[in-house]
Amino acid sequence: MKNKTVFDCSIIELSRIENRAGNISLVENLKNLPFGVKRVFYIYDIPGGEDRGAHAHKECHQFLVAVSGSFEIEMNDGINKRTVTLNRPYYGLHIPPGIWSSEKGFSSGAICLVLASDKFDEADYIRDYNVFLQK
């Protein structure tokens, strides 16, 4: 895990094709994302007041998109903290490895799409904040 800061997390505007019959946003490996996608999942039916995430990755990059509704992502590198709100389906947040992040404040009906650089590997997760701070 390389030393990254919350300032290495970046909002990326996705390409859009606007059409009266509905818009399309494009996500392409290594083109508008700085990594290749190996896993896709989405989080939905989040009860009001619940938080998600609260972990860091050692190697995995993630790209989060609010495909419906809105939510906040709190990021922490052990020194700096930063909060970003996602609320448009054509913007996403790239979170590189080494950043502690939590998703909070989900609106009713919110859906969080996550594109990840690696397949699921429990060993890649740091789920204890005190262990994270020691890295």
Side-chain angles (χ1 to χ4, degrees):
M1 183 169 68
K2 297 175 183 158
N3 291 333
K4 296 283 185 183
T5 75
V6 295
F7 305 106
D8 293 309
C9 300
S10 56
I11 295 285
I12 297 172
E13 183 174 2
L14 300 172
S15 302
R16 285 185 287 172
I17 300 171
E18 296 184 14
N19 186 300
R20 65 179 175 76
N23 300 329
I24 299 172
S25 287
L26 307 169
V27 180
E28 298 180 85
N29 286 343
L30 304 172
K31 188 170 180 181
N32 56 358
L33 284 186
F35 60 88
V37 176
K38 293 187 180 171
R39 180 170 51 124
V40 177
F41 62 95
Y42 51 98
I43 306 164
Y44 59 98
D45 290 343
I46 303 109
E50 287 296 316
D51 298 341
R52 298 291 312 213
H55 63 266
H57 287 279
K58 297 174 187 173
E59 300 294 330
C60 185
H61 291 254
Q62 291 190 318
F63 184 70
L64 284 68
V65 179
V67 294
S68 181
S70 65
F71 55 88
E72 295 180 338
I73 298 122
E74 290 184 359
M75 298 162 285
N76 182 331
D77 59 26
I79 298 170
N80 303 295
K81 294 181 181 179
R82 181 176 167 208
T83 300
V84 169
T85 299
L86 292 180
N87 58 10
R88 295 184 183 135
Y90 51 89
Y91 283 105
L93 176 68
H94 171 229
I95 304 174
I99 301 296
W100 185 270
S101 65
S102 302
E103 296 82 47
K104 301 180 175 208
F106 288 90
S107 68
S108 177
I111 300 173
C112 173
L113 174 68
V114 181
L115 308 175
S117 67
D118 296 298
K119 294 179 180 177
F120 177 79
D121 179 4
E122 183 61 37
D124 185 57
Y125 285 74
I126 303 170
R127 297 187 187 272
D128 183 312
Y129 184 70
N130 292 321
V131 171
F132 169 76
L133 291 175
Q134 296 171 3
K135 297 283 178 194

